[in-house]
Amino acid sequence: MSHVLVNVAWPYANGPRHIGHVAGFGVPSDVYARYERMKGNDVLMVSGTDEHGTPILVEAEKEGLTAQELANRYNRVIAKDLCDLGLSYDLFTRTTTGNHEHVVQEMFKQCLENGYIYKGTQQVAISPSTGRTLPDRYIEGECPICHAEGARGDQCDACGNELDPDELINPVSKINGETPRFEQTEHYFLDLPALAEANKAWLETRSWRTNVINFSLGLFKEVKPRAITRDIDWGIPVPVKDWIDNPNKKLYVWFDAVIGYLSASIEWARRQGDPEKWREWWNDPSCPAYYFMGKDNITFHSQIWPSEMLAYNGKGSKGGETGPMGPLNLPEQVVASEFMTMEGKKFSSSRGIVIYVKDILARYPVDAVRYYISVAGPESSDSDFTWAEFVRHNNEELASSWGNLVNRVANLINKNFGEIPPLDEDSMTNEDRGLLEEASAAFDVVGSSIETHHQKHALSEAMRVVGDINKYISATEPWKIKDDQARLGTVLHVAAQAVSDANHLLAPFLPHSAQKVWEALGGTGTFSPLPELKEVEDLDKPGFTYPIITGDYELGVNVHPWKSEAIEVGAMVPKPAPIFAKIPTEAVEEELARFDEALAARRAAEAERLAAEKAKLAAE
């Protein structure tokens, strides 16, 4: 058994998450974690809500809440959505815990001691109307390098170059359209140039998706130090004299959020009653760490977070000592997905181009959503969510092909035997043996594709097995076998065994229906475990409570192995109920109409908001 660390991008807690988000970080990470558990590996899968930074303050002010109140609200919304989606976190937590603050400050102090954090000054963007620091991503303008419009204050998506807000041509605030002013203020910086050689040398040993590794290496054409503090009152206190008690100087969100993978692992271990257990995943160099995210997060996981760990480990050009939590393992792989659009438009909550997780799960089966994300998601190229394709994949593949197959086999067994019939070796044909061999061999094929993060191919191979089982049923025509019970029993046993194998292959993708298929063929107990929401108290801040996602995913108890398991002869097979239902085709038009209405309403609200902002500025 090996240890495998699955680190999942932290959703930002300024609003509910949409399908575009979970297509990048959510479902792919869960498929991988479930597969590795079935393989027998000891998986630790962690994440949580990212809750610091100016965007939280902006949204909180808009809603008349404190930053903590807003974070509390969306932490609960997001945790419930991800739990409902079946994402099997060992711990999904948050960045406003006492544990996270302590771990972040320990990282900062060691990096400072090693010389990779230093104090300097920087031009900072300030909102003239509020006096508040504007986050880099809330400033847009013309890129000074490629001259594309809409470049952000931290990066230009058109050319991929990192930027500073004051470098933009004609910068404006995305919050209210005003032109920011820039002031020189004192901050702490992460010395990325002193870590660049070690970071790049490590990257050159990686075999990642081509788009990810090429983008990551491109970050090192020009490397500049980056400020890791901000003039802001919402964040983690800076652990140095004269700064620790300063209410207006905090560590900035991008520095502390990536440390969440480590702090969540430590919190998990503490909650297990074994505070040092996290080290099995972080200090053992043989333990691989896989990071799942959308492509807009690559910079933070191939440059920023590795640089923080290298600085902590004392492995940059300035040397240094490894801190008490180290040596920390760098990522084995950054598994970054491309973007998913919606009906040809870029997802945007602010513009009403959005499908929230809670909304789609309220109207459609969760595994139908997971299946569509897996089969049509943005794995290695941008993809488009369309309601027509969502309905088609559900109806043609899940309901007609897979669901009907399970029901046909279970119904034939129930009607003719009432239980799993025995296999009569004397009546077996090459066709029978061929199907069983194919289903068994598929574990290597599908597993290899999941291991190399080609989940679309893995799913297509699993569904190919489903298609061949359907062909077997059509060819053998068990409903026509009237006078040979041994032969009928053999055909249905072979069919049931192949269906069971296919269910194992599909379980990482379809955990909710996998349990139903298991029970339809006479299985008892948990086949495919689901996560649970659990209310807990902060380990370091008495009275501060929040929900976590956790679960019991122990192999052999709640998780079945990644191999063909012999079905149990004599297991009672009840009259089956449908596993999947077809979605009415008129749902497509209904959803498109709902989308158009929401889009129009959001545009009207945004126009009204901007008009009010302009009127306010004019009055001042």
Side-chain angles (χ1 to χ4, degrees):
M1 179 181 71
S2 301
H3 289 83
V4 176
L5 182 61
V6 178
N7 289 326
V8 189
W10 290 57
Y12 198 59
N14 65 337
R17 298 299 89 183
H18 57 63
I19 289 298
H21 292 133
V22 297
F25 74 78
V27 174
S29 62
D30 187 56
V31 169
Y32 185 76
R34 287 178 178 277
Y35 162 73
E36 288 288 356
R37 292 190 188 106
M38 292 177 76
K39 235 175 71 174
N41 289 325
D42 196 349
V43 173
L44 179 61
M45 176 170 159
V46 295
S47 186
T49 44
D50 175 8
E51 300 180 0
H52 291 125
T54 305
I56 293 284
L57 286 169
V58 172
E59 187 63 30
E61 185 176 275
K62 190 187 301 183
E63 299 193 29
L65 302 170
T66 66
Q68 188 66 68
E69 287 171 340
L70 184 89
N72 290 345
R73 175 201 290 177
Y74 288 120
N75 164 258
R76 290 186 176 277
V77 168
I78 293 168
K80 184 177 188 310
D81 286 350
L82 301 187
C83 187
D84 289 346
L85 199 55
L87 306 188
S88 57
Y89 294 101
D90 291 278
L91 180 66
F92 182 89
T93 179
R94 62 194 307 187
T95 59
T96 50
T97 66
N99 175 79
H100 179 70
E101 179 174 312
H102 172 73
V103 175
V104 169
Q105 290 177 336
E106 286 301 305
M107 285 285 294
F108 177 94
K109 287 187 287 187
Q110 189 64 42
C111 294
L112 180 67
E113 184 176 320
N114 284 342
Y116 298 104
I117 289 177
Y118 66 90
K119 191 159 57 174
T121 60
Q122 175 176 289
Q123 290 268 37
V124 175
I126 304 292
S127 166
S129 61
T130 66
R132 180 180 293 152
T133 302
L134 289 168
D136 299 345
R137 288 202 163 199
Y138 271 55
I139 304 169
E140 287 188 349
E142 181 184 329
C143 175
I145 299 169
C146 73
H147 298 285
E149 295 292 338
R152 298 189 306 269
D154 60 348
Q155 180 178 308
C156 174
D157 286 338
C159 65
N161 284 290
E162 293 181 41
L163 301 171
D164 287 321
D166 60 332
E167 295 177 315
L168 292 173
I169 300 169
N170 299 321
V172 295
S173 165
K174 286 177 62 179
I175 299 170
N176 55 19
E178 64 185 354
T179 300
R181 70 170 188 265
F182 292 92
E183 296 180 359
Q184 199 84 7
T185 60
E186 193 174 47
H187 291 283
Y188 279 94
F189 290 76
L190 179 62
D191 192 355
L192 290 175
L195 299 156
E197 184 178 349
N199 195 333
K200 189 169 184 286
W202 160 73
L203 274 175
E204 288 172 341
T205 68
R206 302 294 89 196
S207 297
W208 295 352
R209 289 175 176 169
T210 302
N211 59 323
V212 180
I213 195 63
N214 287 347
F215 179 86
S216 299
L217 289 170
L219 296 170
F220 291 86
K221 292 176 182 176
E222 182 183 356
V223 182
K224 297 181 292 184
R226 290 190 69 165
I228 60 173
T229 56
R230 288 291 189 276
D231 299 292
I232 189 175
D233 60 2
W234 177 241
I236 291 176
V238 185
V240 292
K241 186 181 178 182
D242 298 329
W243 285 60
I244 188 72
D245 296 320
N246 187 333
N248 297 312
K249 292 282 189 181
K250 303 291 182 185
L251 290 171
Y252 200 51
V253 61
W254 67 258
F255 177 81
D256 91 77
V258 288
I259 301 172
Y261 302 114
L262 176 59
S263 68
S265 301
I266 292 173
E267 181 184 344
W268 170 83
R270 293 176 67 189
R271 292 193 180 280
Q272 297 296 304
D274 189 353
E276 299 299 306
K277 192 170 178 60
W278 63 273
R279 295 184 182 277
E280 297 174 17
W281 286 269
W282 284 91
N283 295 155
D284 180 354
S286 69
C287 174
Y290 297 91
Y291 291 73
F292 290 82
M293 71 209 65
K295 69 178 178 182
D296 54 336
N297 250 328
I298 295 174
T299 300
F300 297 99
H301 294 82
S302 64
Q303 183 185 55
I304 301 300
W305 179 223
S307 290
E308 289 182 35
M309 287 192 282
L310 288 166
Y312 183 86
N313 292 344
K315 296 298 183 182
S317 63
K318 299 178 180 180
E321 298 294 323
T322 300
M325 295 185 298
L328 304 174
N329 295 335
L330 272 64
E332 174 71 18
Q333 187 161 170
V334 171
V335 187
S337 299
E338 298 294 299
F339 290 143
M340 175 177 266
T341 54
M342 177 187 172
E343 298 289 349
K345 300 179 177 67
K346 183 179 179 181
F347 272 102
S348 171
S349 300
S350 63
R351 296 171 185 167
I353 306 169
V354 68
I355 311 169
Y356 290 119
V357 173
K358 66 181 177 64
D359 292 336
I360 195 169
L361 294 186
R363 297 196 290 272
Y364 303 103
V366 58
D367 276 0
V369 176
R370 289 178 62 110
Y371 183 82
Y372 184 66
I373 287 173
S374 297
V375 79
E379 182 175 272
S380 56
S381 61
D382 290 351
S383 66
D384 190 36
F385 182 106
T386 71
W387 286 109
E389 282 296 285
F390 171 70
V391 170
R392 185 184 70 78
H393 280 291
N394 177 82
N395 292 355
E396 293 181 9
E397 293 159 26
L398 287 184
S400 293
S401 185
W402 177 227
N404 279 352
L405 171 63
V406 175
N407 275 56
R408 287 174 81 188
V409 172
N411 189 57
L412 284 164
I413 293 174
N414 170 265
K415 181 179 177 181
N416 289 281
F417 296 95
E419 60 186 36
I420 298 292
L423 187 69
D424 178 27
E425 292 284 348
D426 293 336
S427 68
M428 285 193 74
T429 66
N430 289 336
E431 194 172 19
D432 302 331
R433 295 187 182 91
L435 180 64
L436 293 178
E437 289 170 3
E438 177 191 348
S440 180
F443 284 92
D444 287 340
V445 177
V446 175
S448 176
S449 291
I450 295 177
E451 283 181 9
T452 55
H453 308 291
H454 295 98
Q455 293 186 6
K456 286 186 177 183
H457 181 259
L459 185 54
S460 69
E461 285 296 302
M463 290 302 289
R464 183 180 59 78
V465 173
V466 169
D468 286 346
I469 304 171
N470 272 312
K471 291 175 184 176
Y472 171 82
I473 294 294
S474 297
T476 55
E477 299 181 312
W479 54 88
K480 290 186 179 180
I481 304 174
K482 303 295 184 183
D483 302 321
D484 189 344
Q485 284 294 97
R487 177 58 188 159
L488 177 60
T490 294
V491 169
L492 294 180
H493 183 104
V494 168
Q497 181 64 62
V499 167
S500 175
D501 290 349
N503 193 41
H504 282 65
L505 297 170
L506 290 167
F509 300 93
L510 309 173
H512 303 78
S513 57
Q515 181 69 37
K516 295 178 182 178
V517 175
W518 170 251
E519 293 169 0
L521 295 179
T524 58
T526 301
F527 175 80
S528 187
L530 296 175
E532 63 172 328
L533 274 180
K534 183 179 178 183
E535 192 75 13
V536 298
E537 183 175 54
D538 191 278
L539 295 169
D540 304 292
K541 294 157 65 174
F544 182 47
T545 62
Y546 55 93
I548 62 171
I549 304 176
T550 188
D552 184 358
Y553 316 115
E554 186 180 352
L555 182 70
V557 177
N558 289 326
V559 175
H560 281 249
W562 186 256
K563 66 179 182 180
S564 177
E565 287 187 290
I567 55 176
E568 183 184 347
V569 174
M572 301 300 294
V573 175
K575 185 175 181 179
I579 305 294
F580 294 100
K582 286 191 174 184
I583 298 171
T585 54
E586 53 265 28
V588 175
E589 293 304 319
E590 292 172 2
E591 293 293 351
L592 291 174
R594 185 181 283 115
F595 169 62
D596 288 340
E597 289 171 8
L599 190 59
R602 188 60 63 95
R603 284 172 174 167
E606 182 65 11
E608 185 178 338
R609 186 188 70 80
L610 288 174
E613 288 285 353
K614 288 179 180 178
K616 181 180 176 182
L617 287 172
E620 293 173 352

